[in-house]
Amino acid sequence: MKAYLGLYTARLETPARSLKEKRALIKPALERLKARFPVSAARLYGLDAWGFEVVGFSVLGNDPAWVEATLREAARFLAQNGGFRVALEEYRLEAFELDGLL
């Protein structure tokens, strides 16, 4: 049996003129994402830059089709529900054997 981990990372570009303004755009968008989808999300890089930030989230499950679909739906939701532009994005799906646990 396998478990599947879906990873999404994106560079978000913002019109913010300060770190406080940028945080007010990105942090609520990630909170809405986590409230709507079964993901774990984090701000990863660019926390000290006000023009961009790299964020990521992950999904874990036993069905690769569900993991990938959830990842893509969540990415679409994030892009449509924030005051920023998704400049670059990357999807990854990893499989892990569970045989040692069964």
Side-chain angles (χ1 to χ4, degrees):
M1 178 168 221
K2 292 184 180 182
Y4 298 90
L5 175 65
L7 300 171
Y8 172 83
T9 53
R11 178 187 169 108
L12 308 178
E13 293 183 351
T14 73
R17 299 288 181 204
S18 70
L19 294 177
K20 186 176 182 180
E21 189 178 332
K22 181 185 78 165
R23 188 174 51 248
L25 292 172
I26 294 177
K27 191 172 177 184
L30 291 180
E31 292 302 320
R32 287 191 303 271
L33 178 76
K34 291 189 294 185
R36 179 159 179 159
F37 295 93
V39 301
S40 178
R43 298 168 66 203
L44 302 171
Y45 184 78
L47 296 149
D48 294 334
W50 43 267
F52 79 96
E53 191 162 311
V54 176
V55 300
F57 59 83
S58 61
V59 179
L60 183 64
N62 65 351
D63 178 358
W66 177 84
V67 170
E68 185 171 358
T70 302
L71 204 64
R72 294 197 181 272
E73 287 176 35
R76 199 169 19 257
F77 177 84
L78 181 65
Q80 295 172 349
N81 290 282
F84 43 78
R85 183 177 75 86
V86 178
L88 298 168
E89 61 185 353
E90 181 179 305
Y91 297 88
R92 185 175 299 160
L93 186 64
E94 303 280 335
F96 298 92
E97 290 291 337
L98 297 177
D99 293 339
L101 300 172
L102 304 177

